[in-house]
Amino acid sequence: MFTLEMITNELDKLSNSVGDKFDIPVLINARLTRTLGRVMQTTRNGHCRSERMEFSKQLLETATAKSIKSVIEHEWAHYYVTKITGKYHGHDDEFKKVCAMVGCSNDAPTTDVERTVSEEKLHKYVAYCPTCNAPVGYFSRMCATLKHLDRCTCTKCGGGGLYFTQNW
């Protein structure tokens, strides 16, 4: 697992490579499951500023080092483009220029992540079909769908009687 210290070291290296100093807090957020990382920004008087950077605990525990570094580079590019322009850029051309400047090829809104665990282990609940034995849904928390699986059918074979298991 990547630690907070390891992440901060990577961010410092990226900033040093462009002659700058990394200067915002970095947090590991256990609630981020769909978002791999994010830069929290505020805008005051038309000037945008990065306030903090957060990384998904799930990402750090289940992804390869290569994937984690790619996400770190991506989030750093968001931070740096905002720092030098004072504007929010999303994934526009300015953002992509900063990515290219540090050799980050991860300049799209979504990231494919190489995992070190199976899809089933990423989620607290997994719904299965007893007819074809296939996993038919992954869930991070108990929801109406899981509570009413008796009303659902398998998307692969059309079978009923779905059930779920809890991973932790």
Side-chain angles (χ1 to χ4, degrees), residues 114-162:
E114 296 173 12
R115 299 286 182 175
T116 58
V117 298
S118 67
E119 181 72 22
E120 283 88 356
K121 298 292 180 195
L122 288 175
H123 304 282
K124 186 170 184 178
Y125 303 100
V126 182
Y128 293 94
C129 172
T131 307
C132 67
N133 293 319
V136 294
Y138 303 98
F139 304 87
S140 296
R141 58 181 169 248
M142 182 56 67
C143 62
T145 301
L146 289 175
K147 289 177 183 175
H148 302 289
L149 272 180
D150 57 321
R151 300 178 191 164
C152 300
T153 57
C154 177
T155 56
K156 294 175 176 61
C157 74
L162 304 182

Side-chain angles (χ1 to χ4, degrees), residues 11-167:
L11 294 165
D12 286 339
K13 283 183 207 173
L14 289 163
S15 288
N16 289 339
S17 74
V18 296
D20 195 42
K21 180 161 176 45
F22 186 77
D23 61 359
I24 62 172
V26 179
L27 305 167
I28 296 173
N29 188 335
R31 295 182 55 100
L32 296 181
T33 55
R34 293 184 188 154
T35 301
L36 305 174
R38 65 183 179 186
V39 178
M40 304 301 290
Q41 300 172 328
T42 58
T43 303
R44 290 192 185 106
N45 302 323
H47 182 78
C48 188
R49 182 182 189 294
S50 298
E51 297 291 331
R52 72 181 180 276
M53 191 177 292
E54 299 178 349
F55 292 93
S56 163
K57 181 179 179 186
Q58 183 186 76
L59 169 78
L60 302 175
E61 290 177 345
T62 64
T64 63
K66 179 182 174 185
S67 289
I68 295 169
K69 284 183 180 184
S70 175
V71 173
I72 291 170
E73 290 170 349
H74 178 98
E75 297 310 325
W76 178 86
H78 280 299
Y79 153 80
Y80 189 68
V81 73
T82 299
K83 184 174 185 176
I84 60 175
T85 66
K87 296 178 182 171
Y88 173 77
H89 287 276
H91 296 94
D92 68 4
D93 289 339
E94 288 297 314
F95 169 77
K96 290 178 185 205
K97 286 178 191 173
V98 170
C99 285
M101 185 171 64
V102 293
C104 173
S105 59
N106 179 9
D107 61 6
T110 59
T111 302
D112 289 329
V113 176
E114 296 173 12
R115 299 286 182 175
T116 58
V117 298
S118 67
E119 181 72 22
E120 283 88 356
K121 298 292 180 195
L122 288 175
H123 304 282
K124 186 170 184 178
Y125 303 100
V126 182
Y128 293 94
C129 172
T131 307
C132 67
N133 293 319
V136 294
Y138 303 98
F139 304 87
S140 296
R141 58 181 169 248
M142 182 56 67
C143 62
T145 301
L146 289 175
K147 289 177 183 175
H148 302 289
L149 272 180
D150 57 321
R151 300 178 191 164
C152 300
T153 57
C154 177
T155 56
K156 294 175 176 61
C157 74
L162 304 182
Y163 66 95
F164 70 88
T165 61
Q166 182 174 335
N167 287 324

